[in-house]
Amino acid sequence: MRHRTLLTAACAALALIASTPSLAQSTAGPPVVDEAASRPFGYEEMIGLNRLSDPQVSPDGRYVAYAVRATDMGANRGVTSLYIKDLESDEAPRRLGVSDEGANTARWSADGKLYFLSGRSGSSQVWVTDVQGVAATQVTMLPTDVNAYRLSPQGDRLAMSLAVYPDCADLACSVARAAEAADRKSTGLVYDRLFVRHWDTWNDGTQNHLFVQSIGANGAVEGDPVWVTKGFDGDTPSKPFGDESDFTFTPDGQAIVFSARQAGQSEPWSTNFELWRTPIAKDGGLSGDGTFENLTAENPAWDAGPVFSPDGKTLAYRAMARPGFEADKFEIFLKDVETGQVRQIAGNWDRSADSLQWSEDGTTLYTTAQDVGQVRIFAIDTRNGMVVPITGPGHVSAFDLTPSGIVFAQDTLTAPSDLFFKTYRGREMPRQLTEVNPELAQRAFGEAEQFTFAGWNGETVHGYVIKPANYVEGQTYPVAFLIHGGPQGSFGNSWSFRWNPQSYAGAGYAVVMIDFHGSIGYGQAFTDAISQHWGDRPLEDLQKGWAHAQEAYPFLDGDRACALGASYGGYMINWIAGNWQDSFKCLVNHDGVFDTFAMGYSTEELWFTEWENGGTPYENAREYQRFNPANHVQKWRTPMLVIQGDRDFRVPTTQALSTFTALQRQGIDSRLLVFPDENHWVLKPQNSLQWHNEVFGWLDKHIGEGAE
């Protein structure tokens, strides 16, 4: 599933592996060193690693700014700093001094100024610095946080997303109402429509709306912010994961195009995001007139990611075809700004496009897509739709264009993200620009290999095996059998800070992972195969993949194996407990679905459960019960560790409590770990440490050296 969706945590944590027989030597990043002389990589070290993200190239192509998040275990939080790398120099990157008081989301203006967000004034506001990054000037002084922002092409206007009460007359009204709510002695919340809560937050009545201000010659804003989406019933960016990719200025800076779904009464079961255009200027000044032109009214499904061509004549965007299906393929469309004519490009390309960027001459669109174990950058010719892969093995998480090539952030199974550079047409290996975790060169990682087998319906399914760190030929090893979430997700050649297969390899476990039917990156038909088939086709793939792995890799000790999964992976753990007994010595279930019927009434994004089960619970109760783990509890007997974030509104806590109750009531060895302050993911460093201690303690107890 996409990052906005139900069962995403595990799949986002373990993205993709290469389609080559051996991955360890083919991936970019630190080389695999002499494992016999190296200390195995462990989860304690993983939690403290630096995390690079968000590369942004300066307008002249000389510099790239990026963020690095360090972990402060004492403060139990991450601390983000901004860095700059001179692309024309071999000098090491520089940490910007303005990071000392907090800085993130760096964005260049047309004239080379560097804007960023910081909470140093007491709330999240926009600041500006120069390429030296020594001192910063506050740009916005708004009475509420700036959630996201974008600069106009001319650099003279700033669009900002603020959380406001949509029925207020102005920003001051929203500030006053928020203060009144904070001072109120009663705590009851009243709702007349869904969402009442979303992801990990109860609805407080606010929506994300766009405001625009002019920027003066000194880089600071002038005049009052103009509320340009006033009267629109919906969020921009969308909650909870939207960002500035949801909105953009028109090339002349006179209007904004944004992606949003109208809320109304149908928001929780609709995926109909549209592209809307609203004017922001009148008579030379800023003025939102409250009109919204629907640019994609003909498509009842998801439209996203508007980007204008360099000459301003074409709007590129991505669109799904099927309403209510968040894991549908994102196709690429081009809309002629003058005539309104729309055409699709690369229609035969069976991959789902992510965010788009135009080449300088407007003849090429660049995007990333999951592709048989990798996330690659692809170049798409806008004239004939020809698609060419630019990067090879690895997981590209972000990229930006320069006049001569592409700067991209890439991670692999053996390395978290660093920045690399590759020319547009060159066949050279990518040039590494950063090394944010140099100590990993002295750590031992497990060698990874991809394999294939005949799964459900005789179709080819990909699986992945990872040897333990410091593997010794001829020995056998206990196995961590990892099951991804989504369910429209994937495992592969990527790094994770939550479900990292190398942390298991470092602890002496072999790892097996199966990209069962429903996984992404293998064509849309493969992804579609899981809908209304949660318990049969994927289970068959897991069973056949596990059998194949044991036959193909003698070092796997099938008598000492534990299955672990989160979200949909957690659902599958519950399903395995009642439908594939005695294959594993233990189970680990993180935020997993226990009762699919109850889930249809208690989750927040109803479009997900309704698509996956072919309707609502009251319309199609039989389908909800068809693969319901709750109906097979009497057959459970395998020890299970159950983990739950109490702020997870996607898979609510009652699902975990039901699982644990079913285990305890039958006297099955079980343990419950609840995080009152975590959502679908475990994000706080100390909680992550506790999570790993509990999980690895459970594995050691049941399949470790001392296990019976």
Side-chain angles (χ1 to χ4, degrees):
M1 224 145 279
R2 301 299 185 269
H3 67 287
R4 306 172 186 269
T5 68
L6 165 62
L7 309 170
T8 238
C11 76
L14 286 164
L16 299 160
I17 260 180
S19 56
T20 53
S22 178
L23 301 170
Q25 299 294 338
S26 64
T27 55
V32 176
V33 297
D34 181 3
E35 294 182 340
S38 301
R39 177 164 64 86
F41 174 77
Y43 65 81
E44 300 95 337
E45 184 174 22
M46 177 192 71
I47 295 169
L49 291 178
N50 293 321
R51 311 182 185 193
L52 179 148
S53 64
D54 198 20
Q56 299 288 322
V57 174
S58 60
D60 61 5
R62 178 169 178 177
Y63 301 100
V64 58
Y66 59 96
V68 175
R69 180 175 177 264
T71 300
D72 186 335
M73 291 297 291
N76 200 24
R77 64 187 181 93
V79 179
T80 301
S81 297
L82 298 179
Y83 285 74
I84 278 185
K85 165 64 179 169
D86 187 340
L87 297 175
E88 298 179 1
S89 169
D90 292 331
E91 294 181 0
R94 289 186 294 108
R95 180 182 180 274
L96 300 188
V98 295
S99 299
D100 291 345
E101 297 178 88
N104 63 84
T105 319
R107 299 293 181 265
W108 298 93
S109 64
D111 60 358
K113 295 186 180 71
L114 188 63
Y115 289 75
F116 61 95
L117 289 177
S118 176
R120 65 191 66 193
S121 65
S123 63
S124 178
Q125 300 295 320
V126 181
W127 294 69
V128 66
T129 186
D130 57 21
V131 72
Q132 299 305 316
V134 176
T137 301
Q138 188 168 351
V139 176
T140 61
M141 300 182 184
L142 298 168
T144 188
D145 286 336
V146 176
N147 297 321
Y149 73 100
R150 183 180 287 277
L151 294 156
S152 67
Q154 297 77 17
D156 60 346
R157 286 172 182 164
L158 182 69
M160 302 156 291
S161 176
L162 312 177
V164 295
Y165 293 94
D167 59 333
C168 267
D170 52 29
L171 186 57
C173 165
S174 283
V175 173
R177 187 178 296 182
E180 179 183 343
D183 293 339
R184 193 178 61 203
K185 302 303 180 184
S186 61
T187 59
L189 302 174
V190 179
Y191 299 97
D192 297 307
R193 70 183 190 184
L194 298 172
F195 293 111
V196 299
R197 60 184 191 175
H198 199 183
W199 186 246
D200 60 4
T201 306
W202 286 89
N203 189 346
D204 62 0
T206 65
Q207 291 178 343
N208 290 338
H209 276 244
L210 296 178
F211 290 74
V212 176
Q213 280 186 282
S214 296
I215 299 177
N218 62 351
V221 293
E222 298 176 337
D224 294 327
V226 176
W227 187 349
V228 297
T229 55
K230 182 173 174 56
F232 186 87
D233 183 16
D235 286 291
T236 297
S238 60
K239 294 179 180 178
F241 299 115
D243 55 27
E244 77 269 21
S245 65
D246 283 344
F247 60 93
T248 188
F249 283 92
T250 55
D252 60 7
Q254 302 301 298
I256 282 180
V257 173
F258 62 95
S259 174
R261 170 184 51 201
Q262 289 184 310
Q265 296 290 335
S266 63
E267 188 177 19
W269 54 90
S270 169
T271 60
N272 188 20
F273 285 80
E274 307 276 19
L275 298 187
W276 304 85
R277 183 186 186 277
T278 187
I280 61 171
K282 184 178 181 181
D283 299 328
L286 291 176
S287 176
D289 66 3
T291 63
F292 307 100
E293 177 189 1
N294 190 342
L295 302 179
T296 55
E298 70 285 351
N299 182 28
W302 203 321
D303 302 290
V307 287
F308 284 94
S309 60
D311 63 8
K313 295 180 179 180
T314 306
L315 175 65
Y317 63 96
R318 297 173 295 127
M320 295 181 178
R322 289 174 282 183
F325 185 28
E326 66 181 12
D328 200 6
K329 180 172 63 171
F330 266 123
E331 306 274 12
I332 302 173
F333 291 84
L334 302 179
K335 186 181 185 72
D336 187 290
V337 172
E338 182 177 352
T339 67
Q341 182 177 356
V342 176
R343 64 183 178 95
Q344 183 180 354
I345 61 170
N348 294 327
W349 183 44
D350 199 7
R351 295 292 182 265
S352 185
D354 209 327
S355 58
L356 305 172
Q357 291 190 42
W358 286 91
S359 63
E360 188 174 343
D361 63 5
T363 63
T364 306
L365 278 169
Y366 293 89
T367 188
T368 56
Q370 304 206 44
D371 182 43
V372 193
Q374 315 301 318
V375 174
R376 309 180 195 272
I377 299 174
F378 292 88
I380 303 171
D381 193 309
T382 59
R383 298 158 296 186
N384 57 29
M386 182 180 294
V387 181
V388 177
I390 300 297
T391 57
H395 167 252
V396 176
S397 58
F399 71 95
D400 206 2
L401 307 180
T402 79
S404 59
I406 306 174
V407 174
F408 57 98
Q410 180 172 269
D411 54 275
T412 69
L413 268 170
T414 57
S417 278
D418 268 303
L419 289 185
F420 297 82
F421 176 83
K422 194 175 192 303
T423 61
Y424 289 113
R425 298 188 180 278
R427 294 180 175 272
E428 81 286 358
M429 289 292 292
R431 173 167 59 95
Q432 187 165 341
L433 302 175
T434 64
E435 190 176 13
V436 298
N437 292 290
E439 67 274 21
L440 292 183
Q442 302 304 316
R443 299 294 178 264
F445 292 93
E447 181 183 350
E449 183 177 321
Q450 186 179 45
F451 60 87
T452 61
F453 61 94
W456 170 77
N457 202 32
E459 297 175 7
T460 299
V461 177
H462 290 74
Y464 315 98
V465 64
I466 302 171
K467 294 178 179 178
N470 294 330
Y471 165 81
V472 177
E473 188 71 30
Q475 290 191 10
T476 60
Y477 297 88
V479 183
F481 188 80
L482 304 183
I483 304 172
H484 74 65
Q488 292 88 352
S490 177
F491 280 146
N493 190 18
S494 71
W495 188 265
S496 166
F497 285 97
R498 289 191 297 274
W499 286 78
N500 190 313
Q502 290 292 349
S503 66
Y504 297 88
Y509 295 97
V511 179
V512 174
M513 311 181 294
I514 306 298
D515 262 359
F516 47 81
H517 276 81
S519 301
I520 52 180
Y522 304 95
Q524 192 60 40
F526 193 90
T527 300
D528 290 348
I530 196 172
S531 296
Q532 301 182 48
H533 288 278
W534 275 28
D536 54 359
R537 297 170 182 177
L539 179 63
E540 183 175 339
D541 288 345
L542 293 172
Q543 291 170 328
K544 290 181 174 178
W546 179 224
H548 174 90
Q550 292 179 80
E551 181 178 353
Y553 303 102
F555 59 85
L556 300 176
D557 187 345
D559 294 327
R560 289 192 297 156
C562 183
L564 308 87
S567 203
Y568 171 84
Y571 159 88
M572 182 51 72
I573 292 299
N574 284 338
W575 188 247
I576 285 172
N579 293 275
W580 188 17
Q581 305 95 327
D582 301 328
S583 290
F584 301 101
K585 286 293 190 294
C586 64
L587 303 170
V588 177
N589 169 0
H590 177 111
D591 287 3
V593 179
F594 169 80
D595 186 340
T596 52
F597 188 79
M599 177 76 173
Y601 285 112
S602 59
T603 192
E604 13 84 286
E605 292 183 350
L606 298 179
W607 65 75
F608 173 75
T609 55
E610 292 176 10
W611 181 274
E612 293 302 306
N613 294 282
T616 65
Y618 53 85
E619 292 171 327
N620 201 9
R622 178 175 296 181
E623 191 65 35
Y624 279 79
Q625 298 293 359
R626 184 182 175 199
F627 299 118
N628 191 347
N631 295 334
H632 301 270
V633 167
Q634 70 277 10
K635 295 181 286 186
W636 288 14
R637 51 180 174 261
T638 307
M640 187 188 301
L641 170 64
V642 183
I643 307 172
Q644 180 70 30
D646 199 35
R647 292 176 61 189
D648 181 1
F649 302 152
R650 190 65 44 89
V651 183
T653 300
T654 51
Q655 297 283 321
L657 292 177
S658 298
T659 302
F660 188 59
T661 298
L663 292 160
Q664 289 278 301
R665 187 65 180 84
Q666 298 180 90
I668 299 171
D669 185 11
S670 52
R671 189 175 180 89
L672 174 66
L673 171 61
V674 178
F675 292 101
D677 55 347
E678 298 286 4
N679 54 37
H680 202 56
W681 305 329
V682 176
L683 301 176
K684 293 181 173 62
Q686 293 289 352
N687 286 345
S688 178
L689 181 60
Q690 183 182 10
W691 187 98
H692 284 88
N693 285 336
E694 290 289 344
V695 168
F696 281 88
W698 191 253
L699 267 61
D700 291 345
K701 173 183 177 181
H702 292 282
I703 62 173
E705 291 184 1
E708 296 182 358

